[in-house]
Amino acid sequence: MNFVIPPGPRPAVLVAGTSASFPVRRVYCVGRNYAAHAREMGSDPVREAPFFFLKPADAIVPVAASITVDIPYPPQTANYHHEVELVVAIGTGGTNIPAESANDHIWGYAVGFDMTRRDLQFALRDKGRPWELGKAFDHSAPIGPLFSASQCGHPSHGRIWLTVNGATRQEADISDLIWSVPETIAHLSKYFALYPGDLIFTGTPEGVGPVLRGDRVDGGVEGFGELSIRII
Ligand code: MN
């Protein structure tokens, strides 16, 4: 194709155990998908339909295994938060995907951080405005290597955790998800046609909190890798 400006690189996630990468199309995120986190955000964790927001694909920062990547403290916030999440990578697209067959659409899983300018998110939320300034900023989606479902299966339980400077801040089990991964895909695919390359951040457990320059943030999901960043 003949572009008038250089088209730029395609955002991509690393794949564990290979030199290959997974090209990213869209980044969907689920809000309040663990009951205790919904409570700490000031909501009743009733099982109302899940809600979604998006980040731009180029908010992804791919992080290799056993590497700590520097992430810049973002501008225009005084309350920059960590959120550790199980991330689902879509390998086969579809619309109106039934939960019963949703796993067939999953290429694999990774650990991601839904980094958040909490002060901006809350100010926007309280005015009924869109969340992009709080959620969709540059470098807001560090993500570890993908583990293929064909090799690692589909997790229904497993520890999800996050530490700041070695101290545990978030610790739960992905079986605590209010909406399971297949249920989330079923809901999301009613509203958007999913395509190969789409990522879904499935929500964070309780214990979110601020990070500062110099902090090291580690997180993981049992069986699906770890992720390490340093805030600079
Ligand atoms: Mn989140």
Side-chain angles (χ1 to χ4, degrees):
M1 201 173 297
N2 188 19
F3 294 110
V4 296
I5 59 169
R10 178 81 183 257
V13 178
L14 302 168
V15 174
T18 79
S19 59
S21 291
F22 179 91
V24 176
R25 176 177 175 267
R26 290 185 183 171
V27 180
Y28 296 100
C29 304
V30 187
R32 292 177 213 135
N33 204 13
Y34 289 83
H37 175 62
R39 279 190 289 270
E40 77 180 351
M41 291 290 107
S43 300
D44 266 339
V46 291
R47 207 164 183 268
E48 59 188 15
F51 72 92
F52 300 93
F53 59 93
L54 287 93
K55 294 183 186 242
D58 65 1
I60 289 286
V61 181
V63 179
S66 307
I67 299 284
T68 300
V69 165
D70 289 343
I71 298 287
Y73 194 97
Q76 300 295 329
T77 184
N79 198 17
Y80 177 45
H81 274 209
H82 57 77
E83 297 190 0
V84 63
E85 310 201 1
L86 173 70
V87 181
V88 177
I90 297 295
T92 305
T95 54
N96 297 310
I97 297 168
E100 296 70 33
S101 57
N103 280 350
D104 299 341
H105 294 259
I106 296 172
W107 191 90
Y109 299 87
V111 183
F113 295 159
D114 168 18
M115 301 303 290
T116 301
R117 294 192 281 214
R118 192 73 70 200
D119 43 1
L120 298 188
Q121 182 206 7
F122 281 178
L124 295 163
R125 181 191 71 180
D126 294 346
K127 290 180 176 173
R129 291 178 179 171
W131 283 12
E132 276 83 354
L133 296 182
K135 286 288 195 180
F137 52 95
D138 297 334
H139 315 289
S140 62
I143 182 169
L146 273 175
F147 290 77
S148 71
S150 63
Q151 290 179 18
C152 299
H154 298 279
S156 56
H157 63 277
R159 180 174 172 259
I160 180 169
W161 58 273
L162 180 142
T163 64
V164 177
N165 302 323
T168 299
R169 291 272 192 92
Q170 295 185 266
E171 186 167 31
D173 195 284
I174 56 173
S175 62
D176 299 334
L177 282 167
I178 294 172
W179 294 97
S180 69
V181 168
E183 290 170 336
T184 296
I185 290 172
H187 275 279
L188 183 61
S189 68
K190 291 179 189 172
Y191 294 91
F192 296 96
L194 300 183
Y195 279 87
D198 290 341
L199 300 180
I200 306 170
F201 280 62
T202 58
T204 199
E206 66 275 19
V208 301
V211 290
L212 300 171
R213 286 185 184 83
D215 283 346
R216 175 171 160 165
V217 185
D218 292 274
V221 174
E222 185 181 354
F224 294 89
E226 299 184 0
L227 171 57
S228 181
I229 64 173
R230 185 181 308 280
I231 312 303
I232 62 166

